[in-house]
Structures are given as structure tokens and as C-alpha cells.
Amino acid sequence: LAAGSVICAVALLLATRVDSDTSYLTHVLPMVALIGIGVPLITPPITATVLSSVPDGRAGIASAVSNGVARVAALVVVAALPLVVGLPQDATQNPTALDRGYGVSMLICAGLFLAAGIVSWVGLAQHAEPTARPLGRCQASLTCPQLEPARD
């Protein structure tokens, strides 16, 4: 989780180098590749953390709440970021303001990713519990009957 957040922060720092004369191969592709590496390192641990923090009977609700929070957070960031960086309403007609706003936005997002990485490194490591030993192999079904009993 922390590694994915730091990788995404680095990718967004690289995004500050993108402008109208930027080469895709040397500037955009490395940034996109790092995001493609970082996001998959973030999503499964978050999902596992959320689902392991509730009883099995509430896993569906926990998953729905987690997905809902992620969607709302994305919408809030998209709506609030232009206000935070001071983009004028006519930013599409003002390339200088749009470029400045883009750079500041990427720095803010990189800072948020870095903060999330630090919080997850410090906060989750202290609260980690040893993983429970599985009861046995299960098949993927609603009731998940055991295929093999656990061996001691």
C-alpha cells in the first residue's frame, strides 16, 4: 500500500514536466507506466483491509461502502482541485493559467499520495495482526464448503 502510494506520487511529480512541447515517449509514457504500477499496488490492499475489518456476513456491505467512498472522493477531488489551485473559469482560453493550474494540481495530488503512503506505512503496520491459519481449501461458492480439512 505504501509502495504504491509512493510510486504514484513519483508519477505525479513526473507529470509536472508535461507541457505542450513534451515528448510522449520520454515524459508521458514513464508517468503513465508508474501510475499503472502504483495503482494496482494500492487497490488490493485497501480492499483486503476493508473486507478483513468486518465480519464475513457484512463483507458485501463493506465492499459497497468502500467503492462508494472511493467514487465520492474522486468526484470531490475533481470538483475541488480547480478551486484550490485558483483556476479561473476561462482556463481553457488561457493556456498559461491552465498550465500553471495543472502543475500545482499534480503537486497537490503527489503530496496527497505521499501522505497516504506515510499514513499507511505507520498506521497499518502498528495495527497488523498475524494472519489466521486457513481452515482448509474452499471452493468459490456462496456457502464455501471445505474441499479438504485443515491439517495440523
Side-chain angles (χ1 to χ4, degrees):
L1 187 58
S5 295
V6 171
I7 289 171
C8 285
V10 170
L12 293 178
L13 288 175
L14 291 176
T16 61
R17 305 180 318 153
V18 174
D19 61 16
S20 60
D21 299 325
T22 299
S23 163
Y24 179 82
L25 189 61
T26 60
H27 290 78
V28 178
L29 185 61
M31 173 198 55
V32 172
L34 285 175
I35 289 174
I37 293 168
V39 170
L41 292 174
I42 296 171
T43 307
I46 286 177
T47 303
T49 302
V50 167
L51 295 180
S52 68
S53 67
V54 298
D56 290 339
R58 304 274 184 194
I61 295 169
S63 177
V65 170
S66 175
N67 285 332
V69 168
R71 300 305 174 264
V72 169
L75 291 173
V76 167
V77 168
V78 167
L81 207 50
L83 297 172
V84 171
V85 300
L87 275 179
Q89 289 183 352
D90 67 341
T92 56
Q93 274 94 42
N94 186 349
T96 305
L98 186 61
D99 188 43
R100 183 190 60 76
Y102 173 79
V104 174
S105 297
M106 294 300 105
L107 289 174
I108 290 171
C109 290
L112 290 173
F113 268 116
L114 190 58
I118 292 169
V119 167
S120 67
W121 179 265
V122 173
L124 292 179
Q126 293 176 356
H127 300 297
E129 295 177 13
T131 305
R133 191 173 59 124
L135 296 175
R137 281 193 2 206
C138 295
Q139 70 182 30
S141 73
L142 244 29
T143 58
C144 194
Q146 290 186 1
L147 296 176
E148 293 178 3
R151 296 187 182 129
D152 291 332

